Amino acid sequence: MRKYFKALIMIILILVLMVVGQIAPLAVADHLNFSENAAVITMTIIYPIIVIGGGWLLNHFLFHQSLPLVSKWRFQCWPILYAILADVLIYLFSWVAQTGFHSSVTTISNWWLQFAMTVISAPLVEEYVFRGYIFGALDSIFKRSTTIWLTAFIFGLIHLSSLGKAAWYNAVFLVIAYTAMGMFFTLIAVAGKSLWASFTAHVVNNLLIYVIGIWAAVSTSSSMMWRSLTGTLLGMGISAGLVYWRFLKNKREKISKD
């Protein structure tokens, strides 16, 4: 029971750090009357330091959880191809469903600030949080397959913050769609034996969102959000299945614990 409690507290504190990492830099910037650009620069730099650094301190001094997917940087090419495939499928299914797109990259005047936040900072933090600390905490108490599913589901839950004022059934569909996305990134990390594999895929995914505006997860009409999420669910779900089939289906030792 103690190990379950320790893992739960670790996960809660890491998620709290994610919230603090976003709020604290903006609060300081507002207090110091920073410009919009200065505030975004502050958040882009401080956010990963608070979350990744704080998570490392918590784990190193309090929880001592094994982090099986945290390893030295090793570039792998194949995650790039699967990320491109996933976004192509998202675009295709969204086009078939005739859903609109909304890209959050237009909210900041300077493109390079949005680029740094969307393409580098956010993927780095999310991969360390979900494929690093949360995966490690869950992996200490569950078998690997359960850990993969729970990590993906928590990834889906945390993105409820993008729901806005949409109806409750959109919340259900949003969690399902983002769980598919979380499954895609988690399977890539497990197949590549490193969160840097999923970080590579995450960067490519967000880069395509930034450059092309392929983003079916947020609809301009909250009442029709479930339709807009269809592309994300199918595109990421199919891509996750392909990653599993290609790398893990007949290699059960890669999913089982070492």
Side-chain angles (χ1 to χ4, degrees):
M1 181 62 68
R2 181 180 177 184
K3 66 178 182 180
Y4 286 91
F5 180 75
K6 185 170 72 170
L8 177 62
I9 295 300
M10 174 70 175
I11 292 171
I12 292 174
L13 290 179
I14 288 297
L15 295 178
V16 169
L17 276 177
M18 282 191 74
V19 177
V20 173
Q22 295 179 62
I23 295 176
L26 294 179
V28 171
D30 181 66
H31 180 72
L32 297 176
N33 295 318
F34 284 1
S35 65
E36 179 190 39
N37 288 347
V40 175
I41 292 173
T42 301
M43 180 177 176
T44 302
I45 296 174
I46 301 300
Y47 180 41
I49 293 175
I50 291 177
V51 181
I52 298 175
W56 183 87
L57 290 173
L58 284 172
N59 190 59
H60 184 75
F61 291 105
L62 295 179
F63 297 99
H64 311 292
Q65 303 281 14
S66 173
L67 304 176
L69 299 180
V70 176
S71 61
K72 292 182 179 180
W73 167 264
R74 180 170 64 89
F75 178 75
Q76 300 180 62
C77 183
W78 65 269
I80 297 176
L81 302 178
Y82 279 90
I84 293 173
L85 172 63
D87 280 334
V88 168
L89 290 175
I90 288 174
Y91 181 84
L92 176 62
F93 286 119
S94 299
W95 176 74
V96 171
Q98 296 183 341
T99 59
F101 300 99
H102 170 73
S103 177
S104 61
V105 302
T106 60
T107 58
I108 297 176
S109 56
N110 284 345
W111 66 270
W112 60 273
L113 290 176
Q114 182 67 73
F115 179 90
M117 188 65 193
T118 303
V119 180
I120 300 174
S121 182
L124 181 63
V125 169
E126 290 190 0
E127 290 310 312
Y128 255 95
V129 166
F130 293 101
R131 265 59 69 178
Y133 301 128
I134 290 178
F135 187 96
L138 293 171
D139 199 53
S140 68
I141 55 178
F142 297 112
K143 61 182 181 179
R144 182 59 57 85
S145 58
T146 303
T147 296
I148 292 172
W149 277 103
L150 288 176
T151 300
F153 179 65
I154 295 173
F155 184 86
L157 282 179
I158 204 68
H159 282 87
L160 278 172
S161 59
S162 64
L163 182 64
K165 298 180 180 180
W168 66 269
Y169 53 83
N170 286 319
V172 174
F173 209 80
L174 184 145
V175 171
I176 295 173
Y178 272 98
T179 297
M181 182 181 291
M183 178 64 70
F184 173 69
F185 290 135
T186 304
L187 286 175
I188 285 181
V190 172
K193 298 183 179 180
S194 171
L195 63 77
W196 294 113
S198 54
F199 172 72
T200 301
H202 207 147
V203 166
V204 172
N205 176 73
N206 285 19
L207 178 62
L208 291 175
I209 293 169
Y210 180 83
V211 175
I212 308 174
I214 302 177
W215 193 235
V218 180
S219 173
T220 54
S221 172
S222 60
S223 63
M224 299 301 290
M225 181 180 283
W226 68 271
R227 284 187 59 191
S228 187
L229 286 164
T230 301
T232 301
L233 172 60
L234 295 176
M236 286 296 180
I238 291 173
S239 299
L242 290 174
V243 171
Y244 175 80
W245 177 80
R246 173 65 178 81
F247 296 99
L248 301 170
K249 181 180 179 181
N250 297 318
K251 301 175 182 179
R252 304 296 294 184
E253 70 274 9
K254 289 189 176 182
I255 299 182
S256 62
K257 295 182 181 179
D258 294 332

